């Protein structure tokens, strides 16, 4: 929600540990063979996150038998396209940065290696939600690298100027948005290419677009939670409370926040890095507050705002899967590497996926941006980690579904259709798409 292209989310994969006969298209067993176990090997590694070049350099300096060859991809969505082409050509990299929502899709296509035997013993080093996000059917296909605490960041100076409080609920959010509108200020931005706003609010409201029902996937884009989320979004759009700036013009989006044209974002730690790097006027004028709740409900944050936890996946086409798994573990657990990625100055400002990551909170949020709110902001981040949704599942056609959702979301943002119309379309489209892939489905 209000993200750049990579939408890092962290979720407990509902399919983990369940016998899902017929739920995924046939993809064969993983290749645990390692034909060149001795001698130095070079492992191609594709990623997009800031700081990864430094981590790769440190890894290569400390390892004689394994070297990483890093290629920086533009963003997460570009990664899916380039990886699709590479898998088809039989030239997939050994290591792939990705996020939890895509793991099931890539497993269903037979693209990932089962590395459970190599990384399973390290399970307790990671928090349960992040670890589950790297699994399908109880098998591990990657190593989690980050989790995604979620909260609201807002322009404290603008709120103080107009006597406003940070919204505690979505009803408050809309009311504050209406007041800000009187002064020519937008409360949020809905980018036409990024429907994760709808996804994360549905997730927070208890929706389940995909779930397991016996030996089939159940699809439901019109459950009570999704409709509750849809109402909030429709109210914001109908009342013209949102900007509609595309992240295709990233500089313009950041300039709008910096100038005070739009004054809140529902984000995670990693997105603040871009703010620090691009702002010139509003340092020290931002504060954090909890993610808005639905009225009458306990605080609950979605598993990710455009970005769940990242995972470093191992390709099934990799000839050195054991070494790739070892490298992925090092990237996620080496203290210096974790610190590099956690900092918004040197990395992406991501919270580690480690079981105990409280010590990285101060490192992951920028004092330069938050000013006097820097200390209280740390508690907001810590609290958000205890209210994360853990029962969301990503279906086996998530990549294709999200692409279709994007097209419809653009029409919602431009007021060409209602959110309810998009949801009805996505229900039929997703069921039909799964059936066309030979996957058991109900819906």
């Amino acid at each position: 929600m209000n993200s750049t292209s990579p939408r890092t989310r962290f979720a407990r994969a509902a399919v983990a540990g369940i016998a899902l006969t017929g739920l995924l298209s046939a993809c064969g067993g993983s290749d645990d063979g390692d034909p060149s176990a001795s001698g130095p090997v070079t492992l191609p590694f594709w990623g997009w996150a800031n700081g990864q070049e430094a981590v790769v350099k440190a890894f290569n300096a400390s390892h004689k038998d394994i070297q990483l060859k890093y290629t920086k991809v533009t963003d997460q969505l570009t990664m899916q396209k380039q990886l699709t082409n590479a898998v088809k050509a039989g030239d997939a990299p050994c290591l792939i940065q990705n996020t939890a929502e895509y793991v099931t899709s890539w497993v269903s296509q037979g693209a990932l290696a089962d590395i459970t035997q190599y990384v399973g013993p390290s399970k307790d080093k990671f928090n349960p939600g992040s670890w589950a996000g790297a699994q399908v059917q109880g098998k591990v296909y990657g190593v989690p690298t980050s989790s995604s605490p979620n909260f609201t960041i807002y322009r404290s100076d603008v709120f103080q100027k107009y006597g406003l409080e940070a919204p505690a609920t979505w009803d408050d959010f809309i009311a504050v948005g209406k007041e800000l509108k009187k002064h020519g200020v937008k409360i949020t931005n809905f980018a036409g290419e990024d429907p994760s706003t709808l996804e994360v609010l549905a997730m927070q409201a208890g929706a389940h677009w995909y779930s397991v029902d016996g030996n089939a996937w159940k699809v439901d884009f019109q459950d009570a939670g999704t409709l509750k989320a849809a109402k909030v979004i429709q109210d914001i759009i109908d009342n013209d409370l949102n900007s509609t700036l595309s992240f295709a013009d990233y500089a313009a989006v950041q300039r709008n926040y910096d100038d005070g044209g739009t004054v809140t974002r529902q984000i995670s730690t990693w997105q603040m890095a871009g703010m620090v790097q691009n702002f010139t006027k509003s340092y020290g004028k931002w504060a954090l507050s909890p993610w808005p709740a639905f009225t009458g409900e306990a605080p609950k944050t979605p598993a990710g705002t455009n970005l769940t936890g990242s995972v470093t996946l191992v390709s099934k086409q990799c000839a050195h899967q054991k070494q790739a798994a070892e490298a992925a573990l090092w990237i996620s657990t080496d203290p210096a590497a974790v610190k590099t990625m956690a900092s918004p100055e040197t990395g992406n400002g991501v919270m580690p996926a480690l079981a105990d990551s409280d010590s990285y909170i101060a490192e992951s949020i920028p004092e330069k941006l938050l000013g006097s709110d820097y200390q209280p902001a740390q508690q907001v981040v810590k609290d958000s980690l205890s209210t994360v949704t853990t029962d969301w599942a990503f279906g086996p056609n998530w990549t294709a579904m999200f692409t279709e959702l994007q097209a419809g979301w653009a029409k919602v943002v431009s007021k060409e259709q209602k959110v309810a119309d998009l949801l009805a379309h996505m229900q039929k489209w997703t069921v039909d798409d799964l059936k066309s892939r030979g996957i058991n489905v109900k819906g």
Side-chain angles (χ1 to χ4, degrees), residues 276-294:
V276 170
Q277 293 160 9
N278 289 275
F279 286 0
T280 60
K281 303 176 182 177
S282 59
Y283 294 129
K285 297 180 181 179
W286 294 85
L288 301 189
S289 65
W291 186 281
F294 286 97

Side-chain angles (χ1 to χ4, degrees), residues 171-231:
D171 286 342
D172 294 341
F173 191 85
I174 292 170
V176 169
K178 289 178 178 178
E179 184 62 31
L180 288 168
K181 181 183 175 181
K182 297 175 183 177
H183 305 285
V185 177
K186 301 293 188 180
I187 194 169
T188 191
N189 180 64
F190 290 166
E193 74 276 8
D194 187 6
S196 59
T197 300
L198 175 58
E199 176 198 344
V200 294
L201 262 68
M203 187 187 298
Q204 180 192 9
H208 296 91
W209 291 353
Y210 294 88
S211 59
V212 176
D213 186 357
N215 69 340
W217 284 98
K218 180 181 178 181
V219 174
D220 194 349
F221 281 79
Q222 297 171 299
D223 60 8
T226 303
L227 296 179
K228 185 192 299 185
K231 184 181 185 304

Side-chain angles (χ1 to χ4, degrees), residues 63-80:
H63 291 76
K64 295 181 179 180
D65 294 336
I66 308 173
Q67 295 287 287
L68 301 180
K69 182 180 179 182
Y70 184 71
T71 298
K72 188 164 187 175
V73 178
T74 305
D75 54 45
Q76 185 190 25
L77 298 181
T78 302
M79 172 69 80
Q80 313 316 317

Side-chain angles (χ1 to χ4, degrees), residues 38 57 123 144 155 165 176 225 254 310 318 337 343 349 352 368 394 435:
S38 61
K57 184 177 180 180
K123 175 182 178 180
R155 281 289 294 267
E165 298 289 333
V176 169
Q254 296 290 29
S310 278
C318 180
S343 170
K368 183 177 183 179
F394 297 109
K435 288 180 178 178

Side-chain angles (χ1 to χ4, degrees), residues 6 22 37 42 46 53 92 110 132-133 159 174 238 265-266 273 289-290 313 321 343 354 388 393 395 409 412 434:
T42 298
W46 289 5
E53 292 98 332
F159 273 63
I174 292 170
D238 287 348
R265 300 178 70 184
Q266 276 70 47
S289 65
L313 302 172
Q321 294 174 12
S343 170
L354 299 174
V388 174
W409 174 255
V412 168
L434 287 172

Side-chain angles (χ1 to χ4, degrees), residues 416-427:
E416 296 176 56
Q417 69 172 347
K418 299 289 187 179
V419 182
D421 298 327
L422 172 59
L423 294 172
H425 169 73
M426 291 308 304
Q427 177 67 30

Side-chain angles (χ1 to χ4, degrees), residues 190-417:
F190 290 166
E193 74 276 8
D194 187 6
S196 59
T197 300
L198 175 58
E199 176 198 344
V200 294
L201 262 68
M203 187 187 298
Q204 180 192 9
H208 296 91
W209 291 353
Y210 294 88
S211 59
V212 176
D213 186 357
N215 69 340
W217 284 98
K218 180 181 178 181
V219 174
D220 194 349
F221 281 79
Q222 297 171 299
D223 60 8
T226 303
L227 296 179
K228 185 192 299 185
K231 184 181 185 304
V232 170
I233 292 169
Q234 197 65 62
D235 283 349
I236 291 172
I237 292 173
D238 287 348
N239 286 284
D240 296 314
L241 308 182
N242 61 294
S243 301
T244 58
L245 296 174
S246 168
F247 277 93
D249 190 348
Y250 186 66
V253 174
Q254 296 290 29
R255 187 165 55 250
N256 186 44
Y257 290 127
D258 199 21
D259 291 342
T262 303
V263 293
T264 79
R265 300 178 70 184
Q266 276 70 47
I267 61 171
S268 188
T269 55
W270 65 275
Q271 289 146 311
M272 288 193 282
M275 300 171 79
V276 170
Q277 293 160 9
N278 289 275
F279 286 0
T280 60
K281 303 176 182 177
S282 59
Y283 294 129
K285 297 180 181 179
W286 294 85
L288 301 189
S289 65
W291 186 281
F294 286 97
T295 300
E297 297 184 9
K300 185 178 179 182
T301 55
T305 58
N306 318 306
L307 236 304
T308 32
S310 278
V311 290
T312 304
L313 302 172
V314 176
S315 167
K316 194 173 184 180
Q317 294 176 3
C318 180
H320 308 285
Q321 294 174 12
K322 182 176 185 293
Q323 289 96 327
E326 292 171 355
L329 273 175
W330 186 94
I331 289 169
S332 292
T333 59
D334 177 79
V338 172
K339 185 176 181 179
T340 294
M341 296 306 296
S343 170
E345 302 290 341
T346 61
N348 233 33
V350 295
M351 281 294 293
L354 299 174
D356 181 9
S357 57
D358 285 357
S359 62
Y360 293 94
I361 291 177
E363 188 74 28
S364 68
I365 61 175
E367 185 172 5
K368 183 177 183 179
L369 187 67
L370 297 167
S372 62
D373 194 63
Y374 177 65
Q375 290 297 332
Q378 294 176 41
Q379 189 62 46
V380 172
V381 175
K382 183 177 181 179
D383 291 345
S384 74
L385 287 167
S386 66
T387 59
V388 174
T389 306
T390 59
D391 60 351
W392 181 263
F394 297 109
N397 67 338
W398 184 272
T399 304
M401 182 283 294
F402 201 85
T403 299
E404 184 69 16
L405 186 65
Q406 282 181 296
W409 174 255
K411 294 180 180 179
V412 168
V413 171
S414 63
K415 296 187 176 181
E416 296 176 56
Q417 69 172 347

